[in-house]
Amino acid sequence: MGSLRGSDSTSAGGDPSLRWGDDWGVSRRVLLGGTVAAGVATALPAFAQSAAPLAYRPIWPGNAPGGERVTEAEQEIPRSATGPKDDTAFLHVRTPTMTHIAPAKPNGAAILLIPGGGYLRVAIGNGARALLQFFADRGYHAYLLKYRLPGDPWAAGPDAPLQDAQRALRLIKAEAKGYGVALDRIGVMGFSAGGHLAAMLAYRGDSTYPAMDVADSQPLGVRAAGLLYPVALMGVDGTHRGSQDQLIGKNPTPDRALRARTDARITTASPPTFIAHAIDDRVVPVDNGLALLAALRRAKVPAEAYLPEIGGHGFGVTSEGQPAAWTALFFEWAKRHGL
């Protein structure tokens, strides 16, 4: 038995968000065009098919903090029984890592991308290079995080993923000058449960771990946040129960649920935020995106939302081989807000 909460640690089980719902790079519509194999061949550009595997580097010096009771071995599993062999996700992450693609024509900014997986797994998938390259082609130093999961017995509990996100952000800032990246032009974007983690990184200013090295002298805080079909609500109608169960348990107290709600973390000091959430999302209800938008408006934080009638969950950055409609809106908005 795995230590992650829930009864099925090796497959999607009955939760649709753990099958296709955690897509965050190449869209489901592209991947399912024709046969699966043909869909991948037409969806991924040549660089994504032929390039060498991405190099992932550990983000912590030594073991991740607070893992004395963690015994499960990290696993890489298929995201779908019928999908491509390299379309995988990670369970029981023991070694958080980050990978990076540098732009050919840098714009002086960087963005940390955080995939989803319902906090049960980290759905890196075979679109990682394509996603990173998508942002690099638009001038950004693009980083991707593989983070620990809260269902394993890390000492930090539900803050274990946030420890990894904060550490990754500080590493990006520590190397920013060498890459010509301005410290005040670093953003974060998260997808689904990764949107919850990205929001926590954006909206919480308290460090969740003791300093490990000089990189941890870097301040927290991002210039702007992009949240794609994000998990936000906990303990109320509209909650994505899979993410809640993994993060804070099946029956959290009202106080515990409130602490885990990202909309409740928004203050007047929160960074500008872009939200994209389809109204017909059956995995993470649009109520999550709407709650974030309402909280941002109450706090008078600059915000923009793309709320298409049709799109489902996990629509990613491309549609029918072209940039998805929200991406042009996001890049225009990001430029307006200095990212």
Side-chain angles (χ1 to χ4, degrees):
M1 291 291 291
S3 56
L4 289 175
R5 301 183 183 98
S7 60
D8 187 356
S9 64
T10 60
S11 68
D15 186 347
S17 73
L18 301 180
R19 293 195 293 272
W20 282 106
D22 49 21
D23 288 337
W24 46 273
V26 180
S27 76
R28 178 183 181 182
R29 290 177 179 78
V30 173
L31 286 174
L32 294 185
T35 66
V36 172
V40 171
T42 56
L44 299 183
F47 68 77
Q49 299 178 50
S50 60
L54 292 168
Y56 288 84
R57 52 172 162 150
I59 62 173
W60 297 100
N63 295 328
E68 292 77 13
R69 296 189 297 115
V70 178
T71 58
E72 287 283 351
E74 185 170 316
Q75 301 175 47
E76 185 176 7
I77 63 168
R79 286 205 297 167
S80 167
T82 58
K85 290 182 179 180
D86 62 346
D87 189 15
T88 61
F90 292 86
L91 296 170
H92 307 295
V93 173
R94 297 285 297 273
T95 304
T97 59
M98 186 166 63
T99 189
H100 169 221
I101 287 184
K105 297 180 179 179
N107 64 8
I111 190 163
L112 174 62
L113 303 167
I114 305 181
Y119 279 127
L120 176 66
R121 60 189 193 172
V122 181
I124 298 293
N126 62 1
R129 181 178 290 276
L131 178 70
L132 288 164
Q133 194 67 51
F134 186 87
F135 284 88
D137 287 347
R138 287 149 182 84
Y140 292 89
H141 279 269
Y143 294 82
L144 177 70
L145 176 66
K146 181 179 75 173
Y147 52 91
R148 288 172 292 155
L149 296 160
D152 284 317
W154 298 97
D159 279 348
L162 183 56
Q163 287 182 335
D164 295 341
Q166 289 183 340
R167 172 69 179 178
L169 177 62
R170 284 168 162 155
L171 289 176
I172 293 169
K173 290 187 175 185
E175 66 187 33
K177 184 177 180 180
Y179 284 125
V181 170
L183 283 175
D184 64 349
R185 295 193 63 204
I186 297 172
V188 64
M189 176 174 285
F191 303 78
S192 195
H196 181 276
L197 182 51
M200 281 295 185
L201 179 64
Y203 303 150
R204 280 186 62 174
D206 58 310
S207 184
T208 55
Y209 64 91
M212 299 286 181
D213 56 26
V214 67
D216 288 325
S217 64
Q218 294 291 336
L220 297 172
V222 296
R223 182 59 177 254
L227 307 178
L228 277 290
Y229 30 90
V231 171
L233 300 173
M234 298 283 165
V236 296
D237 290 344
T239 296
H240 179 244
R241 291 301 302 271
S243 295
Q244 174 185 284
D245 291 354
Q246 293 299 319
L247 190 68
I248 54 175
K250 292 181 181 294
N251 297 296
T253 65
D255 285 348
R256 185 172 173 83
L258 184 62
R259 288 196 299 272
R261 287 181 59 164
T262 56
D263 63 314
R265 296 282 182 173
I266 293 169
T267 70
T268 56
S270 297
T273 301
F274 180 95
I275 300 164
H277 210 141
I279 292 173
D280 69 345
D281 191 330
R282 295 184 180 181
V283 177
V284 178
V286 71
D287 306 72
N288 289 261
L290 293 173
L292 286 163
L293 180 60
L296 290 160
R297 293 187 64 212
R298 285 194 298 270
K300 296 181 169 52
V301 174
E304 185 164 316
Y306 172 66
L307 304 170
E309 176 189 4
I310 298 171
H313 190 73
F315 43 79
V317 299
T318 64
S319 178
E320 306 300 335
Q322 299 298 318
W326 67 267
T327 60
L329 299 173
F330 170 78
F331 288 119
E332 181 182 349
W333 173 88
K335 183 178 180 179
R336 187 163 69 244
H337 289 286
L339 179 61

